[in-house]
DNA sequence: GCCGATTTGTCCGTATGTATC
DNA sequence: CGATACATACGGACAAATCGG
């Protein structure tokens, strides 16, 4: 729980924007005003605003002010955004999660696995296959590889609940950066076995390498989503001058 | 072309990381050293490092140093990342781009279009349909809506080349923020007419709302990609304390 | 375990530049 | 032109985490 001032201001402004204390296209109070309101330095206000801009909540305009460009969206599908556990995503999407562990094994990284996952050859891994239900419907098939060295005592029971919760709360682990790739792939035999694909012959696939606060990759995951319940959101900002 | 110091440092470090002057898992020089090397304040160095962290290039560790976590990847598919024009993406992917304008029309935003695109009812729009070729193969089908008010003089000829180039270079326009959603959808009749879908019955679809530097949305685009030549990349960082 | 040196994290006050009005 | 607003940059202070002796 960060007690940083900039983070408090960030959350406070974010909530005000979301609850429409400022409406779409409005200008926020100037940095000068915010400095007075929050009793802090201008740098601190600016840091909070920079984060909101990175989230696509506001657009700072030199000489003019900071414009609110947040639009609330109603979401129908399971939306993936930042780094979240399945439990957290389900809660945010107001859906009831359930996990079934299909496989729980240990293996050693060979050349082929190394190329795909980014783990060094010879390292010990946990390999899991998990089926994810939302509101009772099986929608996601996860293939997880975890670095055994950093995650002692992983069990199927933990995997059925939440591995991230175990890492963060029980092991005091800090999850930090995730590099993700989104693709669309043909359904596999396994997909069809566990998911009702209707007439879709493709899956939305997210592969991710996740690092802890020490910059060590501890996870490689391929997450295969049923297309009709999948959505990935993102905000990008254009860099100037190529 | 930004002449900002932090941006110079950012690019310089980025290139050093990419060309493997620092190798994977190495520590970068400490902020103190970088301050001396670049002859600037610590804040300026820190700003550059923060950008590299947001790019997933480095992982700062309190008390330890800043670790390089960049891994070069060989890309086979057409990779989408930041805000780029089709021309820019093609160049980055080392592919030869071509665009064919299928439709060029003007229309007024009605209730239905407004809900979908985010434009206000009554605003005048350009509507375009464009087929994108890479190395001679039609792979992407774009449906663009542009705010006519902000883009005077758009023509099919411009649309066949690069609208972003026209906006930025001819109109002095600044493209800023893009909110994007990635989904997987069934192929449509139009998709099948123009693209060779082999046995895929799905498309990778990116819809985006793009804003200029004044926080005005000037574009809504649905970009439909053939699955076998599509890849979307992303770096996320986990926020602490929920 | 303690202490001091190192390194990153947060915050402040100030100065100057640039764009807008 | 001056006032306002955001953008960049500097230098300093202290906190928090780490590491070596």
């Amino acid at each position: 729980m960060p007690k940083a001032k900039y983070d408090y201001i960030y959350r406070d402004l974010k909530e005000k924007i979301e609850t429409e204390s400022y409406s779409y296209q409005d200008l926020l109070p100037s940095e000068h005003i915010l400095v007075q309101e929050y009793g802090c330095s201008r740098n601190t206000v600016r840091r909070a605003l920079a984060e909101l801009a990175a989230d696509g909540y506001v657009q700072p305009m030199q000489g003019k002010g900071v414009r609110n460009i947040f639009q609330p969206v109603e979401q129908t599908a399971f939306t993936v955004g930042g780094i979240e556990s399945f439990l957290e995503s389900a809660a945010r999407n107001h859906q009831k999660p359930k996990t079934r562990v299909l496989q729980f094994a240990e293996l050693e990284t060979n050349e082929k696995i190394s190329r795909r996952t980014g783990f060094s050859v010879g390292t010990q891994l946990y390999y899991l296959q998990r089926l994810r239900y939302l509101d009772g419907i099986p929608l996601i098939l996860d293939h997880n590889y975890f670095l055994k060295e950093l995650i002692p005592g992983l069990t199927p029971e933990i995997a059925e609940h939440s591995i991230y919760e175990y890492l963060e709360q029980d092991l005091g682990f800090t999850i930090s950066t995730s590099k993700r790739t989104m693709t669309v792939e043909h359904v596999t035999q396994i997909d069809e076995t566990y998911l009702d694909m209707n007439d879709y012959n493709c899956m939305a696939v997210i592969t991710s390498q996740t690092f802890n606060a020490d910059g060590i990759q501890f996870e490689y995951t391929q997450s295969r989503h049923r297309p009709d319940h999948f959505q990935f959101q993102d905000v990008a900002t254009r860099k100037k001058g190529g």
Side-chain angles (χ1 to χ4, degrees), chain A residues 10-11 24-25 56 59 61 64 67 69 71 83 88 168 175-182 186 199-202 209 211 213-216 231-240:
Chain A
Y10 164 73
R11 287 164 199 252
Y24 185 59
Q25 295 292 347
Q59 176 71 55
M61 299 175 289
K64 294 186 188 171
R67 172 164 287 154
I69 58 170
Q71 296 159 295
I83 303 180
E88 289 165 342
E168 294 187 318
I175 298 160
S176 188
T177 302
S178 189
K179 307 183 191 177
R180 300 180 293 194
T181 301
M182 246 285 323
H186 275 305
D199 53 346
Y200 288 96
N201 69 9
C202 293
Q209 293 174 285
F211 296 74
D214 285 340
I216 308 297
Q231 192 172 331
F232 181 89
Q233 286 191 345
D234 178 56
V235 173
T237 53
R238 185 158 171 92
K239 314 212 170 186
K240 311 153 199 166

mmCIF file of all heavy atoms in Angstrom, chain A residues 10-11 24-25 56 59 61 64 67 69 71 83 88 168 175-182 186 199-202 209 211 213-216 231-240:
data_model
loop_
_atom_site.group_PDB
_atom_site.id
_atom_site.type_symbol
_atom_site.label_atom_id
_atom_site.label_comp_id
_atom_site.label_asym_id
_atom_site.label_seq_id
_atom_site.Cartn_x
_atom_site.Cartn_y
_atom_site.Cartn_z
ATOM 1 N N TYR A 10 -2.986 10.859 -7.742
ATOM 2 C CA TYR A 10 -3.354 10.104 -8.939
ATOM 3 C C TYR A 10 -4.690 9.385 -8.750
ATOM 4 O O TYR A 10 -5.607 9.519 -9.562
ATOM 5 C CB TYR A 10 -2.239 9.109 -9.259
ATOM 6 C CG TYR A 10 -2.615 8.007 -10.210
ATOM 7 C CD1 TYR A 10 -2.792 8.260 -11.570
ATOM 8 C CD2 TYR A 10 -2.791 6.702 -9.757
ATOM 9 C CE1 TYR A 10 -3.127 7.236 -12.434
ATOM 10 C CE2 TYR A 10 -3.122 5.684 -10.617
ATOM 11 C CZ TYR A 10 -3.294 5.951 -11.956
ATOM 12 O OH TYR A 10 -3.634 4.942 -12.809
ATOM 13 N N ARG A 11 -4.801 8.670 -7.642
ATOM 14 C CA ARG A 11 -6.038 7.929 -7.389
ATOM 15 C C ARG A 11 -7.224 8.856 -7.171
ATOM 16 O O ARG A 11 -8.340 8.574 -7.612
ATOM 17 C CB ARG A 11 -5.867 7.029 -6.154
ATOM 18 C CG ARG A 11 -4.986 5.831 -6.407
ATOM 19 C CD ARG A 11 -4.551 5.222 -5.097
ATOM 20 N NE ARG A 11 -3.386 4.365 -5.267
ATOM 21 C CZ ARG A 11 -3.432 3.036 -5.195
ATOM 22 N NH1 ARG A 11 -4.557 2.423 -4.971
ATOM 23 N NH2 ARG A 11 -2.346 2.322 -5.360
ATOM 24 N N TYR A 24 -16.443 14.704 -19.704
ATOM 25 C CA TYR A 24 -15.661 14.522 -20.919
ATOM 26 C C TYR A 24 -15.395 15.853 -21.616
ATOM 27 O O TYR A 24 -16.311 16.636 -21.828
ATOM 28 C CB TYR A 24 -16.427 13.581 -21.852
ATOM 29 C CG TYR A 24 -15.709 13.197 -23.117
ATOM 30 C CD1 TYR A 24 -14.479 12.562 -23.089
ATOM 31 C CD2 TYR A 24 -16.287 13.464 -24.357
ATOM 32 C CE1 TYR A 24 -13.840 12.197 -24.261
ATOM 33 C CE2 TYR A 24 -15.655 13.092 -25.544
ATOM 34 C CZ TYR A 24 -14.424 12.458 -25.475
ATOM 35 O OH TYR A 24 -13.790 12.109 -26.644
ATOM 36 N N GLN A 25 -14.156 16.095 -21.929
ATOM 37 C CA GLN A 25 -13.702 17.294 -22.632
ATOM 38 C C GLN A 25 -13.537 18.520 -21.722
ATOM 39 O O GLN A 25 -13.093 19.568 -22.172
ATOM 40 C CB GLN A 25 -14.619 17.659 -23.821
ATOM 41 C CG GLN A 25 -14.603 16.624 -24.938
ATOM 42 C CD GLN A 25 -13.269 16.548 -25.664
ATOM 43 O OE1 GLN A 25 -12.417 17.406 -25.517
ATOM 44 N NE2 GLN A 25 -13.077 15.515 -26.470
ATOM 45 N N GLY A 56 -4.573 7.195 -20.522
ATOM 46 C CA GLY A 56 -5.557 7.675 -21.482
ATOM 47 C C GLY A 56 -6.712 8.408 -20.822
ATOM 48 O O GLY A 56 -7.779 8.549 -21.412
ATOM 49 N N GLN A 59 -5.498 14.558 -21.371
ATOM 50 C CA GLN A 59 -4.604 15.018 -22.430
ATOM 51 C C GLN A 59 -4.069 16.392 -22.020
ATOM 52 O O GLN A 59 -4.805 17.377 -22.041
ATOM 53 C CB GLN A 59 -5.364 15.129 -23.747
ATOM 54 C CG GLN A 59 -4.549 15.695 -24.881
ATOM 55 C CD GLN A 59 -3.495 14.714 -25.342
ATOM 56 O OE1 GLN A 59 -3.808 13.583 -25.683
ATOM 57 N NE2 GLN A 59 -2.243 15.137 -25.331
ATOM 58 N N MET A 61 -2.304 19.885 -22.442
ATOM 59 C CA MET A 61 -2.106 20.779 -23.587
ATOM 60 C C MET A 61 -1.286 21.994 -23.139
ATOM 61 O O MET A 61 -1.750 22.767 -22.296
ATOM 62 C CB MET A 61 -3.450 21.253 -24.127
ATOM 63 C CG MET A 61 -4.330 20.129 -24.607
ATOM 64 S SD MET A 61 -5.960 20.749 -25.106
ATOM 65 C CE MET A 61 -6.645 21.167 -23.508
ATOM 66 N N LYS A 64 -2.660 25.595 -22.470
ATOM 67 C CA LYS A 64 -4.122 25.576 -22.390
ATOM 68 C C LYS A 64 -4.638 24.988 -21.086
ATOM 69 O O LYS A 64 -5.448 25.594 -20.388
ATOM 70 C CB LYS A 64 -4.694 24.776 -23.559
ATOM 71 C CG LYS A 64 -4.447 25.402 -24.923
ATOM 72 C CD LYS A 64 -5.187 24.613 -25.978
ATOM 73 C CE LYS A 64 -4.798 25.087 -27.378
ATOM 74 N NZ LYS A 64 -5.351 24.201 -28.409
ATOM 75 N N ARG A 67 -6.993 18.345 -20.388
ATOM 76 C CA ARG A 67 -8.359 17.970 -20.762
ATOM 77 C C ARG A 67 -8.684 16.547 -20.357
ATOM 78 O O ARG A 67 -7.868 15.631 -20.540
ATOM 79 C CB ARG A 67 -8.527 18.133 -22.271
ATOM 80 C CG ARG A 67 -9.842 17.602 -22.812
ATOM 81 C CD ARG A 67 -10.091 18.136 -24.194
ATOM 82 N NE ARG A 67 -10.467 19.540 -24.156
ATOM 83 C CZ ARG A 67 -10.278 20.399 -25.149
ATOM 84 N NH1 ARG A 67 -9.681 20.010 -26.258
ATOM 85 N NH2 ARG A 67 -10.679 21.642 -25.042
ATOM 86 N N ILE A 69 -10.206 13.241 -21.138
ATOM 87 C CA ILE A 69 -10.654 12.501 -22.327
ATOM 88 C C ILE A 69 -11.117 11.094 -21.953
ATOM 89 O O ILE A 69 -11.085 10.177 -22.761
ATOM 90 C CB ILE A 69 -9.554 12.424 -23.410
ATOM 91 C CG1 ILE A 69 -8.294 11.774 -22.855
ATOM 92 C CG2 ILE A 69 -9.256 13.798 -23.984
ATOM 93 C CD1 ILE A 69 -7.261 11.440 -23.943
ATOM 94 N N GLN A 71 -13.757 8.302 -21.265
ATOM 95 C CA GLN A 71 -15.128 7.943 -21.603
ATOM 96 C C GLN A 71 -15.454 6.612 -20.959
ATOM 97 O O GLN A 71 -14.774 5.617 -21.224
ATOM 98 C CB GLN A 71 -15.296 7.814 -23.118
ATOM 99 C CG GLN A 71 -15.069 9.099 -23.889
ATOM 100 C CD GLN A 71 -14.746 8.814 -25.339
ATOM 101 O OE1 GLN A 71 -13.712 8.222 -25.650
ATOM 102 N NE2 GLN A 71 -15.624 9.227 -26.237
ATOM 103 N N ILE A 83 -1.595 -5.966 -15.656
ATOM 104 C CA ILE A 83 -1.218 -7.252 -15.092
ATOM 105 C C ILE A 83 -2.197 -7.586 -13.977
ATOM 106 O O ILE A 83 -2.248 -6.901 -12.974
ATOM 107 C CB ILE A 83 0.204 -7.210 -14.503
ATOM 108 C CG1 ILE A 83 1.197 -6.776 -15.556
ATOM 109 C CG2 ILE A 83 0.588 -8.567 -13.929
ATOM 110 C CD1 ILE A 83 2.623 -6.702 -15.042
ATOM 111 N N GLU A 88 -8.641 -11.336 -10.027
ATOM 112 C CA GLU A 88 -8.802 -9.883 -10.080
ATOM 113 C C GLU A 88 -9.567 -9.460 -11.326
ATOM 114 O O GLU A 88 -10.464 -8.611 -11.273
ATOM 115 C CB GLU A 88 -7.428 -9.207 -10.055
ATOM 116 C CG GLU A 88 -6.722 -9.316 -8.706
ATOM 117 C CD GLU A 88 -5.249 -8.968 -8.782
ATOM 118 O OE1 GLU A 88 -4.682 -8.975 -9.900
ATOM 119 O OE2 GLU A 88 -4.648 -8.700 -7.736
ATOM 120 N N GLU A 168 2.259 -12.950 -3.885
ATOM 121 C CA GLU A 168 2.326 -11.615 -3.294
ATOM 122 C C GLU A 168 2.073 -11.628 -1.803
ATOM 123 O O GLU A 168 2.766 -10.962 -1.034
ATOM 124 C CB GLU A 168 1.335 -10.677 -4.001
ATOM 125 C CG GLU A 168 1.711 -10.414 -5.456
ATOM 126 C CD GLU A 168 0.840 -9.373 -6.111
ATOM 127 O OE1 GLU A 168 -0.395 -9.390 -5.887
ATOM 128 O OE2 GLU A 168 1.374 -8.555 -6.868
ATOM 129 N N ILE A 175 5.413 -8.678 -8.138
ATOM 130 C CA ILE A 175 5.249 -8.849 -9.580
ATOM 131 C C ILE A 175 5.371 -7.486 -10.237
ATOM 132 O O ILE A 175 4.818 -6.514 -9.743
ATOM 133 C CB ILE A 175 3.880 -9.493 -9.881
ATOM 134 C CG1 ILE A 175 3.810 -10.877 -9.252
ATOM 135 C CG2 ILE A 175 3.616 -9.536 -11.370
ATOM 136 C CD1 ILE A 175 2.406 -11.400 -9.057
ATOM 137 N N SER A 176 6.091 -7.424 -11.326
ATOM 138 C CA SER A 176 6.450 -6.097 -11.798
ATOM 139 C C SER A 176 6.117 -5.811 -13.260
ATOM 140 O O SER A 176 5.257 -5.009 -13.554
ATOM 141 C CB SER A 176 7.946 -5.882 -11.547
ATOM 142 O OG SER A 176 8.283 -4.572 -11.815
ATOM 143 N N THR A 177 6.802 -6.473 -14.160
ATOM 144 C CA THR A 177 6.664 -6.156 -15.574
ATOM 145 C C THR A 177 6.239 -7.385 -16.359
ATOM 146 O O THR A 177 6.707 -8.484 -16.094
ATOM 147 C CB THR A 177 8.011 -5.656 -16.135
ATOM 148 O OG1 THR A 177 8.427 -4.505 -15.389
ATOM 149 C CG2 THR A 177 7.892 -5.283 -17.612
ATOM 150 N N SER A 178 5.349 -7.196 -17.320
ATOM 151 C CA SER A 178 4.911 -8.298 -18.156
ATOM 152 C C SER A 178 4.979 -7.900 -19.626
ATOM 153 O O SER A 178 4.414 -6.884 -20.021
ATOM 154 C CB SER A 178 3.483 -8.701 -17.781
ATOM 155 O OG SER A 178 3.123 -9.897 -18.434
ATOM 156 N N LYS A 179 5.692 -8.698 -20.418
ATOM 157 C CA LYS A 179 5.758 -8.465 -21.864
ATOM 158 C C LYS A 179 4.789 -9.431 -22.528
ATOM 159 O O LYS A 179 4.910 -10.637 -22.357
ATOM 160 C CB LYS A 179 7.177 -8.721 -22.380
ATOM 161 C CG LYS A 179 8.259 -7.960 -21.643
ATOM 162 C CD LYS A 179 9.609 -8.222 -22.288
ATOM 163 C CE LYS A 179 10.744 -7.713 -21.432
ATOM 164 N NZ LYS A 179 12.078 -8.011 -22.008
ATOM 165 N N ARG A 180 3.844 -8.886 -23.262
ATOM 166 C CA ARG A 180 2.777 -9.715 -23.788
ATOM 167 C C ARG A 180 2.659 -9.638 -25.301
ATOM 168 O O ARG A 180 2.902 -8.596 -25.909
ATOM 169 C CB ARG A 180 1.444 -9.300 -23.164
ATOM 170 C CG ARG A 180 1.459 -9.449 -21.659
ATOM 171 C CD ARG A 180 0.158 -9.046 -21.055
ATOM 172 N NE ARG A 180 -0.096 -7.617 -21.192
ATOM 173 C CZ ARG A 180 -1.038 -6.981 -20.524
ATOM 174 N NH1 ARG A 180 -1.822 -7.635 -19.701
ATOM 175 N NH2 ARG A 180 -1.200 -5.696 -20.690
ATOM 176 N N THR A 181 2.257 -10.742 -25.874
ATOM 177 C CA THR A 181 2.009 -10.791 -27.304
ATOM 178 C C THR A 181 0.633 -11.393 -27.536
ATOM 179 O O THR A 181 0.311 -12.434 -26.979
ATOM 180 C CB THR A 181 3.073 -11.650 -28.010
ATOM 181 O OG1 THR A 181 4.354 -11.103 -27.755
ATOM 182 C CG2 THR A 181 2.826 -11.680 -29.506
ATOM 183 N N MET A 182 -0.148 -10.705 -28.354
ATOM 184 C CA MET A 182 -1.499 -11.155 -28.673
ATOM 185 C C MET A 182 -1.518 -11.685 -30.092
ATOM 186 O O MET A 182 -1.090 -10.992 -30.997
ATOM 187 C CB MET A 182 -2.442 -9.959 -28.603
ATOM 188 C CG MET A 182 -3.478 -10.009 -27.515
ATOM 189 S SD MET A 182 -4.766 -11.170 -27.958
ATOM 190 C CE MET A 182 -4.844 -10.874 -29.724
ATOM 191 N N HIS A 186 -5.296 -21.110 -34.616
ATOM 192 C CA HIS A 186 -6.272 -22.177 -34.802
ATOM 193 C C HIS A 186 -6.575 -22.876 -33.481
ATOM 194 O O HIS A 186 -5.699 -22.962 -32.614
ATOM 195 C CB HIS A 186 -5.718 -23.220 -35.788
ATOM 196 C CG HIS A 186 -5.967 -22.870 -37.219
ATOM 197 N ND1 HIS A 186 -7.225 -22.616 -37.705
ATOM 198 C CD2 HIS A 186 -5.132 -22.727 -38.270
ATOM 199 C CE1 HIS A 186 -7.142 -22.345 -38.993
ATOM 200 N NE2 HIS A 186 -5.886 -22.393 -39.366
ATOM 201 N N ASP A 199 -18.995 -22.251 -33.583
ATOM 202 C CA ASP A 199 -18.439 -22.429 -34.920
ATOM 203 C C ASP A 199 -17.128 -21.649 -35.113
ATOM 204 O O ASP A 199 -16.707 -21.422 -36.232
ATOM 205 C CB ASP A 199 -19.470 -22.014 -35.973
ATOM 206 C CG ASP A 199 -19.986 -20.619 -35.720
ATOM 207 O OD1 ASP A 199 -19.756 -20.091 -34.619
ATOM 208 O OD2 ASP A 199 -20.629 -20.055 -36.623
ATOM 209 N N TYR A 200 -16.512 -21.252 -34.012
ATOM 210 C CA TYR A 200 -15.211 -20.595 -34.143
ATOM 211 C C TYR A 200 -14.123 -21.644 -34.340
ATOM 212 O O TYR A 200 -14.098 -22.639 -33.626
ATOM 213 C CB TYR A 200 -14.875 -19.795 -32.878
ATOM 214 C CG TYR A 200 -15.693 -18.546 -32.696
ATOM 215 C CD1 TYR A 200 -16.835 -18.538 -31.902
ATOM 216 C CD2 TYR A 200 -15.286 -17.357 -33.299
ATOM 217 C CE1 TYR A 200 -17.572 -17.390 -31.717
ATOM 218 C CE2 TYR A 200 -16.011 -16.197 -33.121
ATOM 219 C CZ TYR A 200 -17.155 -16.216 -32.337
ATOM 220 O OH TYR A 200 -17.868 -15.073 -32.163
ATOM 221 N N ASN A 201 -13.219 -21.393 -35.268
ATOM 222 C CA ASN A 201 -12.071 -22.286 -35.391
ATOM 223 C C ASN A 201 -10.766 -21.599 -34.979
ATOM 224 O O ASN A 201 -9.681 -22.041 -35.312
ATOM 225 C CB ASN A 201 -11.978 -22.880 -36.800
ATOM 226 C CG ASN A 201 -11.608 -21.856 -37.867
ATOM 227 O OD1 ASN A 201 -11.253 -20.719 -37.550
ATOM 228 N ND2 ASN A 201 -11.672 -22.271 -39.118
ATOM 229 N N CYS A 202 -10.908 -20.467 -34.233
ATOM 230 C CA CYS A 202 -9.732 -19.733 -33.763
ATOM 231 C C CYS A 202 -9.840 -19.417 -32.278
ATOM 232 O O CYS A 202 -10.921 -19.409 -31.704
ATOM 233 C CB CYS A 202 -9.587 -18.408 -34.524
ATOM 234 S SG CYS A 202 -9.212 -18.596 -36.264
ATOM 235 N N GLN A 209 5.526 -13.004 -20.756
ATOM 236 C CA GLN A 209 6.682 -13.244 -19.897
ATOM 237 C C GLN A 209 6.577 -12.255 -18.756
ATOM 238 O O GLN A 209 6.527 -11.043 -19.000
ATOM 239 C CB GLN A 209 7.981 -12.983 -20.637
ATOM 240 C CG GLN A 209 8.294 -13.941 -21.758
ATOM 241 C CD GLN A 209 9.532 -13.485 -22.514
ATOM 242 O OE1 GLN A 209 9.484 -12.546 -23.290
ATOM 243 N NE2 GLN A 209 10.650 -14.152 -22.274
ATOM 244 N N PHE A 211 7.997 -10.642 -15.052
ATOM 245 C CA PHE A 211 9.220 -10.457 -14.261
ATOM 246 C C PHE A 211 8.872 -9.968 -12.863
ATOM 247 O O PHE A 211 7.895 -9.247 -12.671
ATOM 248 C CB PHE A 211 10.124 -9.416 -14.942
ATOM 249 C CG PHE A 211 10.642 -9.827 -16.284
ATOM 250 C CD1 PHE A 211 9.816 -9.835 -17.401
ATOM 251 C CD2 PHE A 211 11.967 -10.211 -16.445
ATOM 252 C CE1 PHE A 211 10.284 -10.219 -18.647
ATOM 253 C CE2 PHE A 211 12.449 -10.590 -17.691
ATOM 254 C CZ PHE A 211 11.614 -10.598 -18.788
ATOM 255 N N ALA A 213 10.253 -7.938 -9.184
ATOM 256 C CA ALA A 213 10.875 -6.629 -8.955
ATOM 257 C C ALA A 213 12.388 -6.666 -9.084
ATOM 258 O O ALA A 213 13.030 -5.615 -9.187
ATOM 259 C CB ALA A 213 10.483 -6.096 -7.575
ATOM 260 N N ASP A 214 12.971 -7.866 -9.101
ATOM 261 C CA ASP A 214 14.408 -7.974 -9.299
ATOM 262 C C ASP A 214 14.771 -8.169 -10.763
ATOM 263 O O ASP A 214 15.931 -8.422 -11.096
ATOM 264 C CB ASP A 214 14.964 -9.150 -8.474
ATOM 265 C CG ASP A 214 15.027 -8.813 -7.001
ATOM 266 O OD1 ASP A 214 15.012 -7.618 -6.668
ATOM 267 O OD2 ASP A 214 15.094 -9.752 -6.182
ATOM 268 N N GLY A 215 13.763 -8.072 -11.627
ATOM 269 C CA GLY A 215 14.029 -8.220 -13.051
ATOM 270 C C GLY A 215 14.288 -9.660 -13.460
ATOM 271 O O GLY A 215 14.918 -9.920 -14.477
ATOM 272 N N ILE A 216 13.818 -10.603 -12.643
ATOM 273 C CA ILE A 216 13.958 -12.018 -12.982
ATOM 274 C C ILE A 216 12.639 -12.528 -13.535
ATOM 275 O O ILE A 216 11.586 -12.336 -12.924
ATOM 276 C CB ILE A 216 14.337 -12.860 -11.737
ATOM 277 C CG1 ILE A 216 15.560 -12.267 -11.042
ATOM 278 C CG2 ILE A 216 14.561 -14.309 -12.130
ATOM 279 C CD1 ILE A 216 16.811 -12.265 -11.866
ATOM 280 N N GLN A 231 -11.603 -9.687 -24.885
ATOM 281 C CA GLN A 231 -11.370 -8.298 -25.267
ATOM 282 C C GLN A 231 -10.078 -7.849 -24.608
ATOM 283 O O GLN A 231 -9.843 -8.112 -23.434
ATOM 284 C CB GLN A 231 -12.529 -7.433 -24.775
ATOM 285 C CG GLN A 231 -12.555 -6.044 -25.337
ATOM 286 C CD GLN A 231 -13.849 -5.335 -24.938
ATOM 287 O OE1 GLN A 231 -14.893 -5.943 -24.742
ATOM 288 N NE2 GLN A 231 -13.765 -4.033 -24.777
ATOM 289 N N PHE A 232 -9.241 -7.178 -25.376
ATOM 290 C CA PHE A 232 -7.983 -6.680 -24.829
ATOM 291 C C PHE A 232 -7.931 -5.177 -25.032
ATOM 292 O O PHE A 232 -8.157 -4.689 -26.137
ATOM 293 C CB PHE A 232 -6.808 -7.347 -25.540
ATOM 294 C CG PHE A 232 -5.466 -6.913 -25.027
ATOM 295 C CD1 PHE A 232 -4.866 -7.581 -23.980
ATOM 296 C CD2 PHE A 232 -4.818 -5.828 -25.588
ATOM 297 C CE1 PHE A 232 -3.625 -7.183 -23.492
ATOM 298 C CE2 PHE A 232 -3.584 -5.424 -25.105
ATOM 299 C CZ PHE A 232 -2.982 -6.095 -24.060
ATOM 300 N N GLN A 233 -7.645 -4.445 -23.937
ATOM 301 C CA GLN A 233 -7.630 -2.988 -24.068
ATOM 302 C C GLN A 233 -6.257 -2.410 -23.805
ATOM 303 O O GLN A 233 -5.461 -2.960 -23.053
ATOM 304 C CB GLN A 233 -8.638 -2.376 -23.094
ATOM 305 C CG GLN A 233 -10.062 -2.582 -23.568
ATOM 306 C CD GLN A 233 -11.042 -1.760 -22.771
ATOM 307 O OE1 GLN A 233 -10.708 -1.251 -21.702
ATOM 308 N NE2 GLN A 233 -12.258 -1.631 -23.295
ATOM 309 N N ASP A 234 -6.022 -1.249 -24.393
ATOM 310 C CA ASP A 234 -4.685 -0.690 -24.457
ATOM 311 C C ASP A 234 -4.783 0.803 -24.747
ATOM 312 O O ASP A 234 -5.697 1.238 -25.423
ATOM 313 C CB ASP A 234 -3.978 -1.387 -25.629
ATOM 314 C CG ASP A 234 -2.588 -0.872 -25.834
ATOM 315 O OD1 ASP A 234 -1.781 -0.911 -24.892
ATOM 316 O OD2 ASP A 234 -2.330 -0.392 -26.943
ATOM 317 N N VAL A 235 -3.866 1.572 -24.199
ATOM 318 C CA VAL A 235 -3.763 2.984 -24.558
ATOM 319 C C VAL A 235 -2.347 3.256 -25.011
ATOM 320 O O VAL A 235 -1.390 2.888 -24.319
ATOM 321 C CB VAL A 235 -4.097 3.906 -23.369
ATOM 322 C CG1 VAL A 235 -3.803 5.353 -23.722
ATOM 323 C CG2 VAL A 235 -5.550 3.743 -22.966
ATOM 324 N N ALA A 236 -2.202 3.857 -26.175
ATOM 325 C CA ALA A 236 -0.869 4.169 -26.688
ATOM 326 C C ALA A 236 -0.737 5.669 -26.893
ATOM 327 O O ALA A 236 -1.714 6.348 -27.181
ATOM 328 C CB ALA A 236 -0.624 3.439 -28.011
ATOM 329 N N THR A 237 0.463 6.173 -26.696
ATOM 330 C CA THR A 237 0.711 7.582 -26.998
ATOM 331 C C THR A 237 1.822 7.671 -28.022
ATOM 332 O O THR A 237 2.779 6.897 -27.997
ATOM 333 C CB THR A 237 1.104 8.371 -25.739
ATOM 334 O OG1 THR A 237 2.188 7.715 -25.094
ATOM 335 C CG2 THR A 237 -0.059 8.436 -24.756
ATOM 336 N N ARG A 238 1.678 8.620 -28.931
ATOM 337 C CA ARG A 238 2.627 8.721 -30.032
ATOM 338 C C ARG A 238 3.834 9.538 -29.614
ATOM 339 O O ARG A 238 3.702 10.619 -29.048
ATOM 340 C CB ARG A 238 1.946 9.371 -31.233
ATOM 341 C CG ARG A 238 2.813 9.411 -32.495
ATOM 342 C CD ARG A 238 1.943 9.545 -33.712
ATOM 343 N NE ARG A 238 2.646 9.793 -34.951
ATOM 344 C CZ ARG A 238 3.054 8.850 -35.788
ATOM 345 N NH1 ARG A 238 2.869 7.585 -35.452
ATOM 346 N NH2 ARG A 238 3.652 9.149 -36.923
ATOM 347 N N LYS A 239 4.996 9.007 -29.886
ATOM 348 C CA LYS A 239 6.220 9.751 -29.592
ATOM 349 C C LYS A 239 6.498 10.722 -30.725
ATOM 350 O O LYS A 239 6.250 10.439 -31.890
ATOM 351 C CB LYS A 239 7.402 8.789 -29.433
ATOM 352 C CG LYS A 239 7.064 7.610 -28.556
ATOM 353 C CD LYS A 239 8.263 7.125 -27.770
ATOM 354 C CE LYS A 239 7.771 6.121 -26.741
ATOM 355 N NZ LYS A 239 8.805 5.675 -25.811
ATOM 356 N N LYS A 240 7.011 11.857 -30.329
ATOM 357 C CA LYS A 240 7.291 12.901 -31.319
ATOM 358 C C LYS A 240 8.633 12.666 -31.994
ATOM 359 O O LYS A 240 9.552 12.127 -31.405
ATOM 360 C CB LYS A 240 7.315 14.271 -30.642
ATOM 361 C CG LYS A 240 6.133 14.541 -29.763
ATOM 362 C CD LYS A 240 6.542 15.537 -28.676
ATOM 363 C CE LYS A 240 5.560 15.474 -27.519
ATOM 364 N NZ LYS A 240 6.082 16.148 -26.318
#
